Amino acid sequence: MAVDPVPSRLEQARRLGASEVIDPGATDAAEAVRELTEGGAAIAIDTSGASAATASAIDSLAPWGRLCVVGLGGRIELDVRKYLSRQITVMTSWSLSSVQQIACADFVARHAVPVDELFTDRWTLDEADRAYAEFDRQAAGKAAFVF
């Protein structure tokens, strides 16, 4: 499942294999995940850096569910009493270890994951000002500078 407020990224997620896509602007994402999974997600990953998305990911978890928050994020405030009986685990990760990077690369190769499709934009260094202005809009997928 993919949750994203940007329609083009939801469509990209579907093309890349997401069985369900959820627009948090159109519905309560946590409730939709709980409904689609019949009780909540066993595993969730939040890479958004948005406090509301992290809180929603926590709310989407099933009992004993696990959430990994990857990269930079904002602050969230939790009422711990709400989650005590659910026994959830929240982990953070700045990046993958070298062992995990190798496992990820092996997975990509083994399953022929179309990595190039993740990059929606390519920029030259001469276009850096325009590229960073576009990055700030957060409307596309991943981008790369090419030489």
Side-chain angles (χ1 to χ4, degrees):
M1 279 183 226
V3 178
D4 200 292
V6 180
S8 62
R9 291 195 301 232
L10 289 175
E11 179 55 38
Q12 182 184 35
R14 193 172 296 284
R15 280 194 317 272
L16 291 171
S19 60
E20 300 287 342
V21 295
I22 300 166
D23 176 352
T27 188
D28 180 315
E31 184 177 318
V33 169
R34 287 191 308 271
E35 185 176 307
L36 288 165
T37 59
E38 298 179 8
I43 299 171
I45 301 171
D46 175 24
T47 61
S48 71
S51 299
T54 304
S56 180
I58 291 170
D59 286 343
S60 76
L61 293 174
W64 296 97
R66 297 176 293 158
L67 168 66
C68 185
V69 180
V70 180
L72 297 174
R75 298 177 55 87
I76 59 170
E77 186 174 313
L78 299 173
D79 180 353
V80 174
R81 296 169 295 180
K82 180 178 175 182
Y83 303 102
L84 283 174
S85 66
R86 293 181 39 215
Q87 302 290 323
I88 63 172
T89 300
V90 178
M91 303 165 281
T92 60
S93 179
W94 179 254
S95 182
L96 297 173
S97 69
S98 60
V99 172
Q100 291 170 320
Q101 288 177 14
I102 291 168
C104 182
D106 287 345
F107 179 90
V108 167
R110 195 170 47 254
H111 296 281
V113 176
V115 174
D116 286 345
E117 291 182 32
L118 295 173
F119 294 91
T120 57
D121 297 285
R122 287 164 176 78
W123 307 90
T124 65
L125 287 179
D126 293 340
E127 299 171 306
D129 286 343
R130 199 173 75 172
Y132 280 106
E134 185 67 26
F135 297 162
D136 284 344
R137 287 187 42 233
Q138 298 183 3
K142 299 298 179 189
F145 284 106
V146 293
F147 298 93

